Structure formats: C-alpha cells, structure tokens
Amino acid sequence: MTRPRSFARRVAIAVGVAAGALCMTLLPFKTASARQAADNMPQTPRPPAPGASASVDSARAVKGATLQAVIYTYGPGPEVFERFGHIALALVDAQTGQDIAFNWGMFDFNQPNFLTRFLTGDTKYWMEGYRTADFNALYQGQDRTIRKQVLNLTPVQRGALYDFVAWFSREENKYYRYDYYNDNCSTRVRDALDWALGGALRPALDRVDGHHTWRDETARITADNLPVYVGIELALGRNADKHLTRWQLAFLPDYLADDLARTPVAGTSLVLQDSVLYRSQSLSVADRAPNRTMPALAIGVLLGVLAFVLARVAPVGLTALGMIWYSVGGVLGTALLLAGTVTKHIPYMGSNLNLTLVSPLLLFAAMFWLWRTRADARGRAGRALPVITAGIAVVGLVVMHIPGVAQGSMMLFMTMVPVHVVLAVVANRRASVSAAPRT
C-alpha cells in the first residue's frame, strides 16, 4: 500500500508540469511567412512598374489621359464576414464610358474542400470586376455606407493601374490565398496603389500611430457578437497584440480610406474628391474595443461558487459540471494547439498563452473526473489532473503580467482561472474520497 500524495505535493508537481507546457505557448512565431508569398505567386510576370520602361510609360500616359481612378469603401454588413467592410478599385474610361469596380474579395462556399481550407487558413479568393453602378447598388441595397474617393494620380499611374488589373484579371493570375490581416481585399488595393506610385505609399504609412493591434481591432468590430468575440479572443495569440503601423492597419478598408485622404505622398494629396454616396441607416461598429475584464471575473467567480455549492449539496451536479468543463476545454485546446502549430494560422494563433487555460490535457481530466472520489489509482488521477490543469492556468495568469510576454486575453483568464482552481479544490476534499480499496 502506497501513501497518497498530499494536496501540497500535487500543487508542486502541477507547477513543474506547467513550466514544460508553457514552452510551446512562449515560442515566438513570425507574423509573416515565406510560404504566404509562395502561395500567392502569380503564374505570369507582373507588368513593369511605372518608371521601369519609357516606352511603356508613354503608352500608359496616352491610355491614362482618359481614365479616372476611384476608391469605393463599403461599410460593415450584417454577416460576420461582412463586419470588416469592403473596398474596390474602380477605373472609369471617359472615352468609352466603361466604369468597372475591381474587388479582391471573391470566394465561393461551394468550392471543393472549402471548410477544410477555411479551418487550415488555405482559403482561395480571387479578383473580379463588375459594373460600378451595379456593385454600388448591391451594397446600398444591404444598407451599407458607400464612400467615394477620386484619386489624384498622373496619367502614367492611372495607365499603370489599368495594366495591373488587366494582368490580374487573367485566369492564371487572379487567385490568391486569403489572409485575414496581411493579404485581403483591402491590402490588395493598398498594394496596387503602392505599386502604381512607385513604392511611395508604404513609407508614408509605415509608422505607428496610436494603440492599434489585430486583437483590439477585431474585438472592436465583433463586439456585438459575443460568441464570435469570445472565440476570436481565444484563438488569437501574442503576435496579435503587437502595435500596428498605418500600413498594417490598411487591412481594414475604413482605415485605408482615411489614410489616403489625409496622407500626402511626395508632397501631394492622393485624393481629389472625397464624398459619401450613401450612409447606412442601421449598421455600424464600435469606436473602440470593449473592456470586459471585470464582467468576465464576475462570471468566473459565480461559476466557482456554483462548483462549491454543488460539491456540498449536489455531487451529481458537480460531476456533470466538471465533465462539461474539462471536455469542452479539452476539445477547444486540441483545436487551438493544432491551429497554432500545423495550419497556416500560425502567425496569429501560434504562441498562444490561452493554451494554459485549454489544452488536450483537459480531455484526460474529463476522462478521470468520474473516478475522483475513489481511493485507487484512477481516483488519484481524477484528483491530480484538476490540480495540474489549475496549476498550469495559474502559471499562465502570472505570465500574463510579464511585459513582453503577456497577451490581451485577460478576459478569458478572469473567467477560467477561478473555475480551474475551485474544481481542483473540491476534487481533493478529503470527505469526497471513498474508502474503496486501492489497486
């Protein structure tokens, strides 16, 4: 017969295991990858940039003399994937009357393996052109704000944009791997303008202005959809908390439109005319990300109190609560671990301290939770695993206060750490252990 481990000893073991578990969550991941560039490599060479060929620029000046370049920005829509807004680059030919809006936001739910591609970060998007009047009517019909900006470009630059969208419209060039933050419909327009301006736009926007992060901007936009908001808070790792430059903030169409309006390039304003064609009557997003830390703490305390009460008056209810808590946490943790290590979401979901709250280890805790009151080996495991998971969560909470390592998901820690700790305590109450013989 072996002497059972004391609660204090289990806590010491939990801290040791926690240190090892944190190794993966603290590994740095780059926010961009060479694989991203390789995925988006067109099949044919891009047209020569303005200034690269005098003869090409001469032809472009003739073509561009009758063109007008316009940016249309569309406000948020009702669906989750529409909340971030949209943008299109339109070219208007005064000679032919042709007015086409080119947008890089096309995708198809019915394309082969769409769900798998979406979950692994390998979604295929493409560029398509539409008659601008029809395109605007579609968004106005959805009650989405429409902003129009006529660009102040030279004939050569306008002709270059025409060559660029003509090249990108070709079947072999128009597809690309969509990236939520680094390569989307808005950054594609930004990059096209930067190319036409000879690379002058990026230096003008490559500065940090205020406190903007991928996490905060995403939280701000999804604040009114609590399940999506919480899911994104869980999914994003530490890289999502880095301060963004204005260039990086252009992943949101509204920010790009604002910066084009107020940022001169080579001493010249980029926008000749700026107007709102239609203003939404009902759709909007918050001005800043909400701070839900204290409400989250209140929820965590209430759940902890519930676990204490159930332990005293309804052990079956405590068993159900523990099974649900550890099973759901284990499934979420497994998905989060895979997303942050083997998918193309690594730049945003890797290096994630939330793995100290949810992890595959919780599946084992759920498995042995039913036997926690036994005095045999399975019972000891059922009591030790909650202590270990609670220890990992507490260490994660401590790390959250270390500058340079912390991430902006404190809301989740405020809710989950109290519950982890209470479940560890009630699982190890002496009165809960039966006198069943050890094996």
Coordinates of all heavy atoms in Angstrom, one line a residue, residues 90-150:
A90 N -12.0 51.2 -58.7 CA -12.7 51.4 -60.0 C -11.9 52.2 -61.0 O -11.2 53.2 -60.6 CB -14.1 52.1 -59.7
L91 N -12.0 51.9 -62.2 CA -11.4 52.6 -63.3 C -12.5 53.1 -64.3 O -13.3 52.2 -64.8 CB -10.3 51.8 -64.0 CG -9.1 51.4 -63.2 CD1 -8.2 50.5 -64.0 CD2 -8.4 52.6 -62.7
V92 N -12.6 54.4 -64.5 CA -13.6 55.0 -65.3 C -12.9 55.5 -66.6 O -12.0 56.3 -66.5 CB -14.3 56.1 -64.6 CG1 -15.5 56.6 -65.5 CG2 -14.8 55.6 -63.2
D93 N -13.4 55.0 -67.7 CA -12.8 55.5 -69.0 C -13.8 56.5 -69.7 O -14.9 56.1 -70.1 CB -12.6 54.3 -70.0 CG -11.8 54.7 -71.2 OD1 -11.9 55.8 -71.6 OD2 -11.0 53.8 -71.7
A94 N -13.4 57.8 -69.7 CA -14.2 58.8 -70.2 C -14.5 58.7 -71.7 O -15.5 59.1 -72.2 CB -13.6 60.2 -69.9
Q95 N -13.6 58.0 -72.4 CA -13.7 57.9 -73.8 C -14.7 56.8 -74.2 O -15.5 57.0 -75.1 CB -12.3 57.5 -74.4 CG -12.3 57.5 -75.9 CD -10.9 57.4 -76.5 OE1 -10.0 56.7 -75.9 NE2 -10.6 58.0 -77.6
T96 N -14.7 55.7 -73.5 CA -15.6 54.6 -73.8 C -16.8 54.5 -72.9 O -17.8 53.8 -73.2 CB -14.8 53.2 -73.7 OG1 -14.5 53.0 -72.3 CG2 -13.6 53.2 -74.6
G97 N -16.8 55.2 -71.8 CA -17.9 55.2 -70.8 C -17.8 54.0 -69.9 O -18.7 53.8 -69.1
Q98 N -16.8 53.2 -70.1 CA -16.7 52.0 -69.2 C -16.3 52.3 -67.8 O -15.4 53.1 -67.6 CB -15.6 51.0 -69.8 CG -15.6 49.7 -69.1 CD -14.5 48.8 -69.8 OE1 -13.3 49.1 -69.9 NE2 -14.9 47.6 -70.2
D99 N -17.0 51.8 -66.8 CA -16.8 52.1 -65.4 C -16.9 50.7 -64.7 O -18.0 50.2 -64.4 CB -17.9 53.0 -64.9 CG -17.6 53.5 -63.5 OD1 -16.7 53.0 -62.8 OD2 -18.4 54.3 -63.0
I100 N -15.7 50.2 -64.3 CA -15.6 48.9 -63.7 C -15.0 49.0 -62.3 O -13.9 49.6 -62.2 CB -14.8 47.9 -64.6 CG1 -15.4 47.8 -66.0 CG2 -14.7 46.5 -63.9 CD1 -16.8 47.2 -66.0
A101 N -15.6 48.3 -61.4 CA -15.1 48.2 -60.0 C -14.4 46.9 -59.8 O -15.1 45.8 -59.9 CB -16.2 48.5 -59.0
F102 N -13.2 46.9 -59.5 CA -12.4 45.6 -59.3 C -12.3 45.4 -57.8 O -11.8 46.2 -57.0 CB -11.0 45.7 -59.9 CG -11.1 45.9 -61.4 CD1 -11.1 47.2 -61.9 CD2 -11.2 44.9 -62.3 CE1 -11.1 47.4 -63.3 CE2 -11.2 45.1 -63.7 CZ -11.2 46.4 -64.2
N103 N -12.7 44.2 -57.4 CA -12.6 43.8 -55.9 C -11.9 42.5 -55.8 O -12.1 41.6 -56.6 CB -13.9 43.9 -55.3 CG -14.7 42.6 -55.4 OD1 -14.7 41.8 -54.4 ND2 -15.4 42.3 -56.5
W104 N -11.1 42.4 -54.7 CA -10.3 41.2 -54.4 C -11.0 40.3 -53.3 O -10.3 39.6 -52.7 CB -8.9 41.6 -54.0 CG -8.0 41.8 -55.1 CD1 -7.1 41.0 -55.7 CD2 -7.8 43.1 -55.8 NE1 -6.4 41.6 -56.7 CE2 -6.8 42.9 -56.8 CE3 -8.5 44.3 -55.8 CZ2 -6.4 43.9 -57.7 CZ3 -8.1 45.3 -56.6 CH2 -7.1 45.1 -57.6
G105 N -12.3 40.4 -53.2 CA -13.0 39.8 -52.1 C -13.9 38.6 -52.5 O -14.8 38.2 -51.8
M106 N -13.6 38.0 -53.6 CA -14.5 37.0 -54.1 C -14.1 35.6 -53.6 O -12.9 35.2 -53.6 CB -14.4 36.9 -55.7 CG -14.9 38.2 -56.3 SD -16.5 38.7 -55.9 CE -17.4 37.3 -56.6
F107 N -15.1 34.9 -53.1 CA -14.9 33.5 -52.7 C -16.2 32.7 -52.9 O -17.2 33.3 -53.1 CB -14.4 33.4 -51.2 CG -15.5 33.8 -50.2 CD1 -16.3 32.9 -49.6 CD2 -15.7 35.2 -49.9 CE1 -17.3 33.2 -48.7 CE2 -16.7 35.5 -49.0 CZ -17.5 34.6 -48.4
D108 N -16.1 31.4 -52.8 CA -17.2 30.6 -53.1 C -17.3 29.5 -52.0 O -16.4 28.6 -51.8 CB -17.1 29.9 -54.5 CG -18.3 29.1 -54.9 OD1 -19.3 29.1 -54.1 OD2 -18.2 28.5 -55.9
F109 N -18.5 29.5 -51.2 CA -18.7 28.5 -50.2 C -18.7 27.1 -50.8 O -18.5 26.1 -50.1 CB -20.0 28.7 -49.5 CG -19.9 29.8 -48.5 CD1 -20.8 31.0 -48.7 CD2 -19.1 29.8 -47.4 CE1 -20.7 32.0 -47.7 CE2 -19.0 30.8 -46.5 CZ -19.9 31.9 -46.7
N110 N -19.0 27.0 -52.1 CA -19.2 25.7 -52.8 C -17.9 25.2 -53.4 O -17.9 24.1 -54.0 CB -20.3 25.8 -53.8 CG -21.7 26.0 -53.2 OD1 -22.0 25.5 -52.2 ND2 -22.4 26.9 -53.8
Q111 N -16.8 25.9 -53.3 CA -15.6 25.4 -53.9 C -15.1 24.2 -53.2 O -15.4 24.0 -52.0 CB -14.5 26.5 -53.9 CG -14.1 26.9 -52.5 CD -13.0 28.0 -52.6 OE1 -11.8 27.8 -52.6 NE2 -13.5 29.3 -52.6
P112 N -14.4 23.3 -53.8 CA -14.0 22.0 -53.2 C -13.3 22.2 -51.9 O -12.4 23.0 -51.9 CB -13.2 21.3 -54.3 CG -13.7 21.9 -55.6 CD -14.0 23.3 -55.3
N113 N -13.6 21.4 -50.9 CA -12.9 21.4 -49.6 C -12.9 22.8 -49.0 O -11.9 23.2 -48.3 CB -11.5 20.9 -49.8 CG -11.4 19.5 -50.4 OD1 -12.2 18.6 -49.9 ND2 -10.6 19.4 -51.4
F114 N -14.0 23.6 -49.1 CA -14.0 25.0 -48.6 C -13.8 25.0 -47.1 O -13.0 25.8 -46.6 CB -15.2 25.7 -49.0 CG -15.3 27.1 -48.4 CD1 -14.7 28.2 -49.1 CD2 -15.9 27.4 -47.2 CE1 -14.8 29.5 -48.6 CE2 -16.0 28.6 -46.7 CZ -15.4 29.7 -47.4
L115 N -14.5 24.1 -46.4 CA -14.5 24.1 -44.9 C -13.1 23.8 -44.4 O -12.5 24.4 -43.5 CB -15.5 23.2 -44.3 CG -15.6 23.1 -42.8 CD1 -15.9 24.5 -42.2 CD2 -16.6 22.1 -42.4
T116 N -12.5 22.7 -45.0 CA -11.1 22.3 -44.7 C -10.1 23.5 -44.9 O -9.3 23.7 -44.1 CB -10.7 21.1 -45.4 OG1 -11.6 20.0 -45.1 CG2 -9.3 20.6 -45.0
R117 N -10.3 24.1 -46.1 CA -9.4 25.2 -46.4 C -9.5 26.3 -45.4 O -8.6 27.0 -45.0 CB -9.6 25.7 -47.8 CG -9.1 24.7 -48.9 CD -9.4 25.3 -50.3 NE -8.7 24.5 -51.4 CZ -7.5 24.8 -51.8 NH1 -6.9 25.8 -51.3 NH2 -7.0 24.1 -52.8
F118 N -10.8 26.6 -45.1 CA -11.1 27.7 -44.1 C -10.4 27.4 -42.8 O -9.8 28.3 -42.2 CB -12.6 27.9 -44.0 CG -13.0 28.9 -43.0 CD1 -12.9 30.3 -43.2 CD2 -13.4 28.5 -41.7 CE1 -13.2 31.2 -42.3 CE2 -13.8 29.4 -40.7 CZ -13.7 30.8 -41.0
L119 N -10.6 26.2 -42.3 CA -10.1 25.9 -41.0 C -8.6 25.8 -40.9 O -8.0 26.1 -39.9 CB -10.7 24.5 -40.5 CG -12.2 24.5 -40.3 CD1 -12.6 23.1 -39.9 CD2 -12.6 25.4 -39.1
T120 N -7.9 25.5 -42.0 CA -6.5 25.4 -42.1 C -5.8 26.7 -42.6 O -4.6 26.8 -42.7 CB -6.0 24.2 -42.9 OG1 -6.5 24.4 -44.3 CG2 -6.5 22.9 -42.3
G121 N -6.6 27.7 -42.9 CA -6.0 29.0 -43.4 C -5.6 29.0 -44.8 O -4.7 29.7 -45.2
D122 N -6.2 28.1 -45.6 CA -5.8 28.0 -47.0 C -7.0 28.3 -48.0 O -7.1 27.7 -49.0 CB -5.4 26.5 -47.3 CG -4.6 26.4 -48.5 OD1 -4.0 27.4 -49.0 OD2 -4.6 25.2 -49.1
T123 N -7.8 29.3 -47.6 CA -8.9 29.7 -48.4 C -8.5 30.4 -49.7 O -7.7 31.3 -49.7 CB -9.9 30.6 -47.6 OG1 -10.1 30.0 -46.3 CG2 -11.2 30.8 -48.3
K124 N -9.1 30.0 -50.8 CA -8.8 30.7 -52.1 C -9.7 31.8 -52.4 O -11.0 31.6 -52.4 CB -8.8 29.6 -53.2 CG -8.5 30.2 -54.6 CD -8.7 29.1 -55.7 CE -7.7 28.0 -55.6 NZ -7.8 27.1 -56.7
Y125 N -9.2 33.0 -52.6 CA -10.0 34.1 -53.0 C -9.5 34.6 -54.4 O -8.5 34.1 -54.9 CB -9.8 35.3 -52.1 CG -10.7 35.3 -50.8 CD1 -10.7 34.2 -50.0 CD2 -11.5 36.4 -50.5 CE1 -11.6 34.1 -48.9 CE2 -12.3 36.4 -49.4 CZ -12.3 35.2 -48.6 OH -13.2 35.2 -47.5
W126 N -10.3 35.5 -55.1 CA -9.9 36.0 -56.4 C -10.4 37.4 -56.6 O -11.3 37.9 -55.9 CB -10.3 35.0 -57.5 CG -11.8 34.9 -57.7 CD1 -12.5 35.7 -58.6 CD2 -12.7 33.9 -57.2 NE1 -13.8 35.2 -58.6 CE2 -13.9 34.2 -57.7 CE3 -12.5 32.9 -56.2 CZ2 -15.0 33.4 -57.4 CZ3 -13.6 32.2 -55.9 CH2 -14.9 32.4 -56.5
M127 N -9.9 38.0 -57.7 CA -10.3 39.3 -58.1 C -11.3 39.2 -59.2 O -11.2 38.4 -60.1 CB -9.1 40.2 -58.5 CG -9.4 41.6 -58.7 SD -9.8 42.0 -60.4 CE -8.2 42.2 -61.1
E128 N -12.4 40.1 -59.1 CA -13.4 40.1 -60.2 C -13.8 41.6 -60.4 O -13.8 42.4 -59.5 CB -14.6 39.3 -59.7 CG -15.6 38.9 -60.8 CD -15.0 37.7 -61.7 OE1 -14.6 36.7 -61.1 OE2 -15.0 37.9 -62.9
G129 N -14.1 41.9 -61.6 CA -14.6 43.2 -62.0 C -16.1 43.2 -62.3 O -16.7 42.3 -62.9
Y130 N -16.8 44.3 -61.8 CA -18.2 44.5 -62.0 C -18.5 45.9 -62.4 O -17.8 46.8 -62.1 CB -19.0 44.2 -60.7 CG -19.0 42.7 -60.2 CD1 -17.9 42.3 -59.4 CD2 -19.9 41.8 -60.6 CE1 -17.9 41.0 -58.9 CE2 -19.8 40.5 -60.2 CZ -18.8 40.1 -59.4 OH -18.8 38.8 -58.9
R131 N -19.6 46.1 -63.1 CA -20.1 47.5 -63.4 C -20.3 48.2 -62.1 O -20.9 47.7 -61.2 CB -21.4 47.5 -64.2 CG -21.2 47.0 -65.6 CD -22.5 47.1 -66.4 NE -23.0 48.5 -66.5 CZ -24.0 49.0 -65.9 NH1 -24.7 48.3 -65.1 NH2 -24.4 50.3 -66.1
T132 N -19.6 49.4 -62.0 CA -19.6 50.1 -60.7 C -21.0 50.4 -60.2 O -21.3 50.3 -59.0 CB -18.8 51.3 -60.8 OG1 -17.4 51.0 -61.2 CG2 -18.7 52.1 -59.5
A133 N -21.9 50.8 -61.1 CA -23.2 51.2 -60.7 C -24.0 50.0 -60.1 O -24.7 50.1 -59.1 CB -24.0 51.7 -61.9
D134 N -23.8 48.8 -60.7 CA -24.4 47.6 -60.2 C -23.8 47.2 -58.8 O -24.5 46.7 -57.9 CB -24.3 46.4 -61.2 CG -25.0 46.7 -62.4 OD1 -25.9 47.5 -62.5 OD2 -24.7 46.0 -63.5
F135 N -22.5 47.3 -58.7 CA -21.8 46.9 -57.5 C -22.2 47.8 -56.3 O -22.5 47.4 -55.2 CB -20.3 47.1 -57.7 CG -19.5 46.2 -56.8 CD1 -19.6 44.9 -56.7 CD2 -18.5 46.8 -55.9 CE1 -18.8 44.1 -55.9 CE2 -17.8 46.1 -55.1 CZ -17.9 44.7 -55.0
N136 N -22.3 49.1 -56.6 CA -22.8 50.1 -55.5 C -24.2 49.8 -55.2 O -24.6 49.9 -54.0 CB -22.6 51.5 -56.0 CG -21.1 51.9 -56.0 OD1 -20.3 51.2 -55.4 ND2 -20.8 53.0 -56.7
A137 N -25.0 49.5 -56.1 CA -26.5 49.3 -55.9 C -26.6 48.0 -54.9 O -27.5 48.0 -54.1 CB -27.2 49.0 -57.2
L138 N -25.8 47.0 -55.1 CA -25.8 45.9 -54.3 C -25.5 46.2 -52.8 O -26.3 45.8 -51.9 CB -24.8 44.8 -54.8 CG -24.5 43.6 -53.9 CD1 -25.8 42.7 -53.8 CD2 -23.3 42.8 -54.4
Y139 N -24.5 47.0 -52.6 CA -24.2 47.4 -51.2 C -25.2 48.4 -50.6 O -25.5 48.3 -49.4 CB -22.8 47.9 -51.2 CG -21.7 46.8 -51.3 CD1 -21.2 46.4 -52.5 CD2 -21.3 46.2 -50.1 CE1 -20.3 45.4 -52.6 CE2 -20.4 45.1 -50.2 CZ -19.9 44.7 -51.4 OH -19.1 43.7 -51.5
Q140 N -25.7 49.3 -51.4 CA -26.7 50.2 -50.9 C -28.0 49.4 -50.5 O -28.7 49.7 -49.5 CB -27.1 51.3 -51.9 CG -28.1 52.3 -51.4 CD -28.3 53.4 -52.4 OE1 -27.4 53.7 -53.2 NE2 -29.4 54.1 -52.3
G141 N -28.3 48.4 -51.3 CA -29.4 47.5 -51.0 C -29.3 46.8 -49.7 O -30.3 46.4 -49.1
Q142 N -28.0 46.6 -49.2 CA -27.7 46.0 -48.0 C -27.6 47.0 -46.8 O -27.2 46.6 -45.7 CB -26.5 45.1 -48.1 CG -26.5 44.0 -49.0 CD -25.2 43.3 -49.2 OE1 -24.1 43.8 -48.7 NE2 -25.2 42.1 -49.9
D143 N -27.9 48.3 -47.1 CA -27.8 49.4 -46.2 C -26.4 49.5 -45.7 O -26.2 49.7 -44.5 CB -28.8 49.1 -45.0 CG -28.9 50.4 -44.1 OD1 -28.8 51.5 -44.7 OD2 -29.1 50.2 -42.9
R144 N -25.5 49.5 -46.6 CA -24.1 49.7 -46.2 C -23.5 51.0 -46.7 O -23.7 51.4 -47.9 CB -23.2 48.5 -46.7 CG -23.6 47.2 -46.1 CD -22.9 46.0 -46.7 NE -21.5 46.0 -46.4 CZ -20.7 45.0 -46.6 NH1 -21.2 43.9 -47.2 NH2 -19.4 45.0 -46.3
T145 N -22.9 51.7 -45.9 CA -22.3 53.0 -46.2 C -21.4 52.9 -47.4 O -20.6 52.0 -47.5 CB -21.6 53.7 -45.0 OG1 -22.5 53.9 -44.0 CG2 -20.9 55.0 -45.4
I146 N -21.5 53.9 -48.4 CA -20.6 53.9 -49.5 C -19.8 55.2 -49.6 O -20.5 56.3 -49.7 CB -21.4 53.7 -50.8 CG1 -22.2 52.4 -50.8 CG2 -20.5 53.6 -52.0 CD1 -23.1 52.2 -52.0
R147 N -18.5 55.1 -49.6 CA -17.7 56.3 -49.6 C -16.9 56.3 -51.0 O -16.4 55.2 -51.3 CB -16.7 56.3 -48.5 CG -15.7 57.5 -48.4 CD -14.9 57.4 -47.2 NE -13.9 58.5 -47.1 CZ -13.0 58.6 -46.1 NH1 -13.0 57.7 -45.1 NH2 -12.2 59.7 -46.0
K148 N -16.8 57.4 -51.6 CA -16.2 57.5 -52.9 C -15.0 58.5 -52.8 O -15.1 59.6 -52.3 CB -17.2 58.0 -54.0 CG -16.5 58.2 -55.4 CD -17.6 58.8 -56.4 CE -16.9 59.0 -57.7 NZ -17.9 59.6 -58.7
Q149 N -13.8 58.0 -53.3 CA -12.6 58.9 -53.3 C -12.0 58.8 -54.7 O -11.6 57.8 -55.2 CB -11.6 58.4 -52.3 CG -12.1 58.5 -50.8 CD -11.1 57.9 -49.9 OE1 -10.9 56.7 -49.9 NE2 -10.5 58.7 -49.0
V150 N -12.0 60.0 -55.4 CA -11.3 60.1 -56.7 C -9.9 60.4 -56.4 O -9.5 61.3 -55.7 CB -11.9 61.3 -57.5 CG1 -11.3 61.4 -58.8 CG2 -13.4 61.0 -57.7

